[in-house]
Amino acid sequence: MNARTATVLEVDKDVQAARSAARGILTAATNLHAANAADLMARTEKIAAVAAAHAAAVDGESRFPNDAIAAARAERLLGIAVPRELGGEGAGIADVVDVCYALGRACASTAMIYAMHQTKVACLVRHGRTSAWHQLLLRRLCNEQLLLASSTTEGQAGGDVRNSTAPIERDGSRITLQRQATVISYGKEADGVVTTARRSPDAASTDQVLVAFLKQDYTLEPLVGWDAFGMRGTCSEGFKLIASGASEQILPVSYDKIHAQTMMPVAHLAWSGAWTGIATAAVDRARAFVRKAAQRSGGALPPAAAHLTRATASLRTLRSLICTALQSFEAASADPSTLESVDFQTGMNLLKVNASELAVATVMSAMQTCGLSGYRNDGEFSLGRHLRDILSAPIMISNDRILANIAAASLLSGAPNSLSD
């Protein structure tokens, strides 16, 4: 063997060793991720069990799901999406949506509260990176398992989150804000509120900022109560929000960026996960009804079984829709220009519209499967609560407003050249 051959063999051995080491690292990382995912799901199942046990009472009494949120705190699920270096678990958006889905199968109000909280956390994580105040808030959130509420609905503008009436007032390094917040879900129970506001008294209504206030920073004066058809446990009351704090509590990125890159897509994904959970729970009951009916009739399926087929089909479509949207968001998450593009924004807005309508259709098909047994409130196959909760999906966050807002984008876009485009 000459020296050149020996050198080539040594290099080849080094390459093989490096490849083997890389495979080992990838395998270890995959195993660690799987272990972390299994642990997260096990903790989520504990919370879901508590939420399910109290879901009827939460709905009937229109009360905040204290037991479920206490369980979420005990299992440290409120800070899972915060980076590890700040005390969280570095969970991705798919993990958060999975938790929303699991909670939605147990208690719709708990799932929506969790989804709204995680949307605020996502905004702080992505857009508070250069802010020492917000980094400290995220550390506190993990250590103390703080629950954050959202205030984006205001006065006569209703759900027009891209316009604000109330401005931030400045006095040196201090700021104040007074806004007619016609909806602050679980406002009384939250440890803090993350709110939109006009940047200054002379700013345009669309020139907005996002501000985080802790409980000691504000008072809530009741404006509107909450006796609603569904989602009764979200306690989505209206308040006059009177807040004061330090100027560094304003996120250092303008709200138009925050909304496009994080607030809207994360909210639509998390809400969709919760709605899919509700729809899945309804289909589970419908399937159990058909099985029981078949047992009673010696194996013959009842005529309403066709509705179960329709419910299952629409649920499959719903799940596929969310999986595709998750992949799209994860692929674009590191590229602000893609996140802000017309195509991406339109797709994420249509996710909310399509997911909410599919979820309603799924629960309706489940209700038709169960017939009177589903219509009743006092039986094992009752679906009244599921139907009332899911009807909030296209209404509480208006599909009409979303469709009107993206009408111009629909005019600008053309037909794709192929099915894969």
mmCIF file with all atom_site columns, all heavy atoms in Angstrom, residues 183-202:
data_model
loop_
_atom_site.group_PDB
_atom_site.id
_atom_site.type_symbol
_atom_site.label_atom_id
_atom_site.label_alt_id
_atom_site.label_comp_id
_atom_site.label_asym_id
_atom_site.label_entity_id
_atom_site.label_seq_id
_atom_site.pdbx_PDB_ins_code
_atom_site.Cartn_x
_atom_site.Cartn_y
_atom_site.Cartn_z
_atom_site.occupancy
_atom_site.B_iso_or_equiv
_atom_site.pdbx_formal_charge
_atom_site.auth_seq_id
_atom_site.auth_comp_id
_atom_site.auth_asym_id
_atom_site.auth_atom_id
_atom_site.pdbx_PDB_model_num
ATOM 1   N N   . VAL A 1 183 ? -64.461 43.692 24.444 1.00 0.00 ? 183 VAL A N   1
ATOM 2   C CA  . VAL A 1 183 ? -64.249 42.280 24.772 1.00 0.00 ? 183 VAL A CA  1
ATOM 3   C C   . VAL A 1 183 ? -62.837 42.106 25.320 1.00 0.00 ? 183 VAL A C   1
ATOM 4   O O   . VAL A 1 183 ? -61.867 42.482 24.653 1.00 0.00 ? 183 VAL A O   1
ATOM 5   C CB  . VAL A 1 183 ? -64.414 41.350 23.545 1.00 0.00 ? 183 VAL A CB  1
ATOM 6   C CG1 . VAL A 1 183 ? -64.013 39.921 23.912 1.00 0.00 ? 183 VAL A CG1 1
ATOM 7   C CG2 . VAL A 1 183 ? -65.849 41.364 23.039 1.00 0.00 ? 183 VAL A CG2 1
ATOM 8   N N   . ILE A 1 184 ? -62.730 41.585 26.526 1.00 0.00 ? 184 ILE A N   1
ATOM 9   C CA  . ILE A 1 184 ? -61.460 41.054 27.036 1.00 0.00 ? 184 ILE A CA  1
ATOM 10  C C   . ILE A 1 184 ? -61.797 39.699 27.643 1.00 0.00 ? 184 ILE A C   1
ATOM 11  O O   . ILE A 1 184 ? -62.270 39.603 28.778 1.00 0.00 ? 184 ILE A O   1
ATOM 12  C CB  . ILE A 1 184 ? -60.794 41.958 28.096 1.00 0.00 ? 184 ILE A CB  1
ATOM 13  C CG1 . ILE A 1 184 ? -60.550 43.361 27.561 1.00 0.00 ? 184 ILE A CG1 1
ATOM 14  C CG2 . ILE A 1 184 ? -59.463 41.333 28.539 1.00 0.00 ? 184 ILE A CG2 1
ATOM 15  C CD1 . ILE A 1 184 ? -59.855 44.295 28.550 1.00 0.00 ? 184 ILE A CD1 1
ATOM 16  N N   . SER A 1 185 ? -61.608 38.662 26.872 1.00 0.00 ? 185 SER A N   1
ATOM 17  C CA  . SER A 1 185 ? -61.923 37.320 27.357 1.00 0.00 ? 185 SER A CA  1
ATOM 18  C C   . SER A 1 185 ? -61.114 37.019 28.618 1.00 0.00 ? 185 SER A C   1
ATOM 19  O O   . SER A 1 185 ? -59.926 37.349 28.689 1.00 0.00 ? 185 SER A O   1
ATOM 20  C CB  . SER A 1 185 ? -61.615 36.279 26.280 1.00 0.00 ? 185 SER A CB  1
ATOM 21  O OG  . SER A 1 185 ? -62.441 36.456 25.156 1.00 0.00 ? 185 SER A OG  1
ATOM 22  N N   . TYR A 1 186 ? -61.777 36.422 29.591 1.00 0.00 ? 186 TYR A N   1
ATOM 23  C CA  . TYR A 1 186 ? -61.231 36.071 30.908 1.00 0.00 ? 186 TYR A CA  1
ATOM 24  C C   . TYR A 1 186 ? -60.387 37.200 31.520 1.00 0.00 ? 186 TYR A C   1
ATOM 25  O O   . TYR A 1 186 ? -59.411 36.963 32.233 1.00 0.00 ? 186 TYR A O   1
ATOM 26  C CB  . TYR A 1 186 ? -60.447 34.744 30.851 1.00 0.00 ? 186 TYR A CB  1
ATOM 27  C CG  . TYR A 1 186 ? -59.278 34.681 29.866 1.00 0.00 ? 186 TYR A CG  1
ATOM 28  C CD1 . TYR A 1 186 ? -57.966 34.900 30.288 1.00 0.00 ? 186 TYR A CD1 1
ATOM 29  C CD2 . TYR A 1 186 ? -59.495 34.385 28.534 1.00 0.00 ? 186 TYR A CD2 1
ATOM 30  C CE1 . TYR A 1 186 ? -56.907 34.825 29.414 1.00 0.00 ? 186 TYR A CE1 1
ATOM 31  C CE2 . TYR A 1 186 ? -58.449 34.313 27.638 1.00 0.00 ? 186 TYR A CE2 1
ATOM 32  C CZ  . TYR A 1 186 ? -57.154 34.541 28.086 1.00 0.00 ? 186 TYR A CZ  1
ATOM 33  O OH  . TYR A 1 186 ? -56.097 34.478 27.209 1.00 0.00 ? 186 TYR A OH  1
ATOM 34  N N   . GLY A 1 187 ? -60.823 38.444 31.277 1.00 0.00 ? 187 GLY A N   1
ATOM 35  C CA  . GLY A 1 187 ? -60.063 39.603 31.746 1.00 0.00 ? 187 GLY A CA  1
ATOM 36  C C   . GLY A 1 187 ? -59.889 39.642 33.254 1.00 0.00 ? 187 GLY A C   1
ATOM 37  O O   . GLY A 1 187 ? -58.815 39.992 33.755 1.00 0.00 ? 187 GLY A O   1
ATOM 38  N N   . LYS A 1 188 ? -60.930 39.291 33.984 1.00 0.00 ? 188 LYS A N   1
ATOM 39  C CA  . LYS A 1 188 ? -60.844 39.332 35.451 1.00 0.00 ? 188 LYS A CA  1
ATOM 40  C C   . LYS A 1 188 ? -59.891 38.288 36.002 1.00 0.00 ? 188 LYS A C   1
ATOM 41  O O   . LYS A 1 188 ? -59.356 38.440 37.094 1.00 0.00 ? 188 LYS A O   1
ATOM 42  C CB  . LYS A 1 188 ? -62.238 39.115 36.059 1.00 0.00 ? 188 LYS A CB  1
ATOM 43  C CG  . LYS A 1 188 ? -63.224 40.240 35.826 1.00 0.00 ? 188 LYS A CG  1
ATOM 44  C CD  . LYS A 1 188 ? -64.578 39.875 36.432 1.00 0.00 ? 188 LYS A CD  1
ATOM 45  C CE  . LYS A 1 188 ? -65.619 40.953 36.185 1.00 0.00 ? 188 LYS A CE  1
ATOM 46  N NZ  . LYS A 1 188 ? -66.960 40.548 36.701 1.00 0.00 ? 188 LYS A NZ  1
ATOM 47  N N   . GLU A 1 189 ? -59.691 37.201 35.271 1.00 0.00 ? 189 GLU A N   1
ATOM 48  C CA  . GLU A 1 189 ? -58.895 36.078 35.765 1.00 0.00 ? 189 GLU A CA  1
ATOM 49  C C   . GLU A 1 189 ? -57.442 36.132 35.321 1.00 0.00 ? 189 GLU A C   1
ATOM 50  O O   . GLU A 1 189 ? -56.608 35.400 35.856 1.00 0.00 ? 189 GLU A O   1
ATOM 51  C CB  . GLU A 1 189 ? -59.508 34.756 35.274 1.00 0.00 ? 189 GLU A CB  1
ATOM 52  C CG  . GLU A 1 189 ? -60.984 34.591 35.567 1.00 0.00 ? 189 GLU A CG  1
ATOM 53  C CD  . GLU A 1 189 ? -61.289 34.509 37.050 1.00 0.00 ? 189 GLU A CD  1
ATOM 54  O OE1 . GLU A 1 189 ? -60.365 34.161 37.820 1.00 0.00 ? 189 GLU A OE1 1
ATOM 55  O OE2 . GLU A 1 189 ? -62.441 34.793 37.431 1.00 0.00 ? 189 GLU A OE2 1
ATOM 56  N N   . ALA A 1 190 ? -57.130 36.985 34.371 1.00 0.00 ? 190 ALA A N   1
ATOM 57  C CA  . ALA A 1 190 ? -55.787 37.009 33.794 1.00 0.00 ? 190 ALA A CA  1
ATOM 58  C C   . ALA A 1 190 ? -54.798 37.710 34.719 1.00 0.00 ? 190 ALA A C   1
ATOM 59  O O   . ALA A 1 190 ? -55.157 38.543 35.551 1.00 0.00 ? 190 ALA A O   1
ATOM 60  C CB  . ALA A 1 190 ? -55.816 37.695 32.436 1.00 0.00 ? 190 ALA A CB  1
ATOM 61  N N   . ASP A 1 191 ? -53.524 37.366 34.534 1.00 0.00 ? 191 ASP A N   1
ATOM 62  C CA  . ASP A 1 191 ? -52.439 38.005 35.288 1.00 0.00 ? 191 ASP A CA  1
ATOM 63  C C   . ASP A 1 191 ? -51.851 39.185 34.524 1.00 0.00 ? 191 ASP A C   1
ATOM 64  O O   . ASP A 1 191 ? -51.005 39.905 35.053 1.00 0.00 ? 191 ASP A O   1
ATOM 65  C CB  . ASP A 1 191 ? -51.330 36.983 35.556 1.00 0.00 ? 191 ASP A CB  1
ATOM 66  C CG  . ASP A 1 191 ? -51.832 35.792 36.348 1.00 0.00 ? 191 ASP A CG  1
ATOM 67  O OD1 . ASP A 1 191 ? -52.331 36.003 37.463 1.00 0.00 ? 191 ASP A OD1 1
ATOM 68  O OD2 . ASP A 1 191 ? -51.736 34.656 35.839 1.00 0.00 ? 191 ASP A OD2 1
ATOM 69  N N   . GLY A 1 192 ? -52.288 39.355 33.303 1.00 0.00 ? 192 GLY A N   1
ATOM 70  C CA  . GLY A 1 192 ? -51.822 40.468 32.490 1.00 0.00 ? 192 GLY A CA  1
ATOM 71  C C   . GLY A 1 192 ? -52.651 40.573 31.234 1.00 0.00 ? 192 GLY A C   1
ATOM 72  O O   . GLY A 1 192 ? -53.350 39.630 30.852 1.00 0.00 ? 192 GLY A O   1
ATOM 73  N N   . VAL A 1 193 ? -52.580 41.735 30.590 1.00 0.00 ? 193 VAL A N   1
ATOM 74  C CA  . VAL A 1 193 ? -53.308 41.982 29.339 1.00 0.00 ? 193 VAL A CA  1
ATOM 75  C C   . VAL A 1 193 ? -52.325 42.501 28.304 1.00 0.00 ? 193 VAL A C   1
ATOM 76  O O   . VAL A 1 193 ? -51.529 43.409 28.586 1.00 0.00 ? 193 VAL A O   1
ATOM 77  C CB  . VAL A 1 193 ? -54.443 43.011 29.543 1.00 0.00 ? 193 VAL A CB  1
ATOM 78  C CG1 . VAL A 1 193 ? -55.035 43.421 28.202 1.00 0.00 ? 193 VAL A CG1 1
ATOM 79  C CG2 . VAL A 1 193 ? -55.520 42.456 30.439 1.00 0.00 ? 193 VAL A CG2 1
ATOM 80  N N   . VAL A 1 194 ? -52.380 41.911 27.121 1.00 0.00 ? 194 VAL A N   1
ATOM 81  C CA  . VAL A 1 194 ? -51.592 42.401 25.989 1.00 0.00 ? 194 VAL A CA  1
ATOM 82  C C   . VAL A 1 194 ? -52.568 43.068 25.039 1.00 0.00 ? 194 VAL A C   1
ATOM 83  O O   . VAL A 1 194 ? -53.487 42.436 24.522 1.00 0.00 ? 194 VAL A O   1
ATOM 84  C CB  . VAL A 1 194 ? -50.842 41.242 25.300 1.00 0.00 ? 194 VAL A CB  1
ATOM 85  C CG1 . VAL A 1 194 ? -50.005 41.775 24.142 1.00 0.00 ? 194 VAL A CG1 1
ATOM 86  C CG2 . VAL A 1 194 ? -49.958 40.499 26.299 1.00 0.00 ? 194 VAL A CG2 1
ATOM 87  N N   . THR A 1 195 ? -52.388 44.372 24.817 1.00 0.00 ? 195 THR A N   1
ATOM 88  C CA  . THR A 1 195 ? -53.394 45.164 24.121 1.00 0.00 ? 195 THR A CA  1
ATOM 89  C C   . THR A 1 195 ? -52.812 45.974 22.972 1.00 0.00 ? 195 THR A C   1
ATOM 90  O O   . THR A 1 195 ? -51.655 46.415 23.026 1.00 0.00 ? 195 THR A O   1
ATOM 91  C CB  . THR A 1 195 ? -54.095 46.124 25.103 1.00 0.00 ? 195 THR A CB  1
ATOM 92  O OG1 . THR A 1 195 ? -55.060 46.914 24.400 1.00 0.00 ? 195 THR A OG1 1
ATOM 93  C CG2 . THR A 1 195 ? -53.111 47.041 25.798 1.00 0.00 ? 195 THR A CG2 1
ATOM 94  N N   . THR A 1 196 ? -53.620 46.154 21.950 1.00 0.00 ? 196 THR A N   1
ATOM 95  C CA  . THR A 1 196 ? -53.275 47.082 20.882 1.00 0.00 ? 196 THR A CA  1
ATOM 96  C C   . THR A 1 196 ? -53.634 48.496 21.320 1.00 0.00 ? 196 THR A C   1
ATOM 97  O O   . THR A 1 196 ? -54.483 48.701 22.191 1.00 0.00 ? 196 THR A O   1
ATOM 98  C CB  . THR A 1 196 ? -54.022 46.749 19.586 1.00 0.00 ? 196 THR A CB  1
ATOM 99  O OG1 . THR A 1 196 ? -55.427 46.612 19.881 1.00 0.00 ? 196 THR A OG1 1
ATOM 100 C CG2 . THR A 1 196 ? -53.504 45.470 18.969 1.00 0.00 ? 196 THR A CG2 1
ATOM 101 N N   . ALA A 1 197 ? -53.001 49.490 20.686 1.00 0.00 ? 197 ALA A N   1
ATOM 102 C CA  . ALA A 1 197 ? -53.305 50.903 20.951 1.00 0.00 ? 197 ALA A CA  1
ATOM 103 C C   . ALA A 1 197 ? -52.740 51.743 19.808 1.00 0.00 ? 197 ALA A C   1
ATOM 104 O O   . ALA A 1 197 ? -51.823 51.317 19.102 1.00 0.00 ? 197 ALA A O   1
ATOM 105 C CB  . ALA A 1 197 ? -52.695 51.353 22.278 1.00 0.00 ? 197 ALA A CB  1
ATOM 106 N N   . ARG A 1 198 ? -53.324 52.921 19.650 1.00 0.00 ? 198 ARG A N   1
ATOM 107 C CA  . ARG A 1 198 ? -52.755 53.878 18.699 1.00 0.00 ? 198 ARG A CA  1
ATOM 108 C C   . ARG A 1 198 ? -51.412 54.362 19.249 1.00 0.00 ? 198 ARG A C   1
ATOM 109 O O   . ARG A 1 198 ? -51.260 54.575 20.451 1.00 0.00 ? 198 ARG A O   1
ATOM 110 C CB  . ARG A 1 198 ? -53.734 55.032 18.513 1.00 0.00 ? 198 ARG A CB  1
ATOM 111 C CG  . ARG A 1 198 ? -53.594 55.790 17.223 1.00 0.00 ? 198 ARG A CG  1
ATOM 112 C CD  . ARG A 1 198 ? -54.934 56.399 16.771 1.00 0.00 ? 198 ARG A CD  1
ATOM 113 N NE  . ARG A 1 198 ? -55.681 57.043 17.827 1.00 0.00 ? 198 ARG A NE  1
ATOM 114 C CZ  . ARG A 1 198 ? -55.759 58.377 17.999 1.00 0.00 ? 198 ARG A CZ  1
ATOM 115 N NH1 . ARG A 1 198 ? -55.102 59.183 17.203 1.00 0.00 ? 198 ARG A NH1 1
ATOM 116 N NH2 . ARG A 1 198 ? -56.493 58.869 18.968 1.00 0.00 ? 198 ARG A NH2 1
ATOM 117 N N   . ARG A 1 199 ? -50.427 54.510 18.381 1.00 0.00 ? 199 ARG A N   1
ATOM 118 C CA  . ARG A 1 199 ? -49.067 54.825 18.835 1.00 0.00 ? 199 ARG A CA  1
ATOM 119 C C   . ARG A 1 199 ? -48.998 56.112 19.653 1.00 0.00 ? 199 ARG A C   1
ATOM 120 O O   . ARG A 1 199 ? -48.265 56.204 20.647 1.00 0.00 ? 199 ARG A O   1
ATOM 121 C CB  . ARG A 1 199 ? -48.119 54.947 17.635 1.00 0.00 ? 199 ARG A CB  1
ATOM 122 C CG  . ARG A 1 199 ? -46.659 55.169 18.005 1.00 0.00 ? 199 ARG A CG  1
ATOM 123 C CD  . ARG A 1 199 ? -45.793 55.245 16.771 1.00 0.00 ? 199 ARG A CD  1
ATOM 124 N NE  . ARG A 1 199 ? -45.840 54.004 16.012 1.00 0.00 ? 199 ARG A NE  1
ATOM 125 C CZ  . ARG A 1 199 ? -45.098 52.925 16.293 1.00 0.00 ? 199 ARG A CZ  1
ATOM 126 N NH1 . ARG A 1 199 ? -44.256 52.958 17.329 1.00 0.00 ? 199 ARG A NH1 1
ATOM 127 N NH2 . ARG A 1 199 ? -45.196 51.845 15.546 1.00 0.00 ? 199 ARG A NH2 1
ATOM 128 N N   . SER A 1 200 ? -49.785 57.117 19.257 1.00 0.00 ? 200 SER A N   1
ATOM 129 C CA  . SER A 1 200 ? -49.780 58.415 19.943 1.00 0.00 ? 200 SER A CA  1
ATOM 130 C C   . SER A 1 200 ? -51.081 59.130 19.607 1.00 0.00 ? 200 SER A C   1
ATOM 131 O O   . SER A 1 200 ? -51.792 58.737 18.682 1.00 0.00 ? 200 SER A O   1
ATOM 132 C CB  . SER A 1 200 ? -48.577 59.257 19.503 1.00 0.00 ? 200 SER A CB  1
ATOM 133 O OG  . SER A 1 200 ? -48.679 59.572 18.127 1.00 0.00 ? 200 SER A OG  1
ATOM 134 N N   . PRO A 1 201 ? -51.414 60.224 20.332 1.00 0.00 ? 201 PRO A N   1
ATOM 135 C CA  . PRO A 1 201 ? -52.669 60.932 20.051 1.00 0.00 ? 201 PRO A CA  1
ATOM 136 C C   . PRO A 1 201 ? -52.778 61.472 18.633 1.00 0.00 ? 201 PRO A C   1
ATOM 137 O O   . PRO A 1 201 ? -53.882 61.597 18.101 1.00 0.00 ? 201 PRO A O   1
ATOM 138 C CB  . PRO A 1 201 ? -52.653 62.065 21.077 1.00 0.00 ? 201 PRO A CB  1
ATOM 139 C CG  . PRO A 1 201 ? -51.821 61.551 22.202 1.00 0.00 ? 201 PRO A CG  1
ATOM 140 C CD  . PRO A 1 201 ? -50.750 60.732 21.551 1.00 0.00 ? 201 PRO A CD  1
ATOM 141 N N   . ASP A 1 202 ? -51.647 61.774 17.999 1.00 0.00 ? 202 ASP A N   1
ATOM 142 C CA  . ASP A 1 202 ? -51.703 62.328 16.641 1.00 0.00 ? 202 ASP A CA  1
ATOM 143 C C   . ASP A 1 202 ? -51.428 61.287 15.560 1.00 0.00 ? 202 ASP A C   1
ATOM 144 O O   . ASP A 1 202 ? -51.293 61.615 14.382 1.00 0.00 ? 202 ASP A O   1
ATOM 145 C CB  . ASP A 1 202 ? -50.728 63.499 16.492 1.00 0.00 ? 202 ASP A CB  1
ATOM 146 C CG  . ASP A 1 202 ? -49.291 63.106 16.814 1.00 0.00 ? 202 ASP A CG  1
ATOM 147 O OD1 . ASP A 1 202 ? -49.075 61.966 17.288 1.00 0.00 ? 202 ASP A OD1 1
ATOM 148 O OD2 . ASP A 1 202 ? -48.376 63.941 16.601 1.00 0.00 ? 202 ASP A OD2 1
#
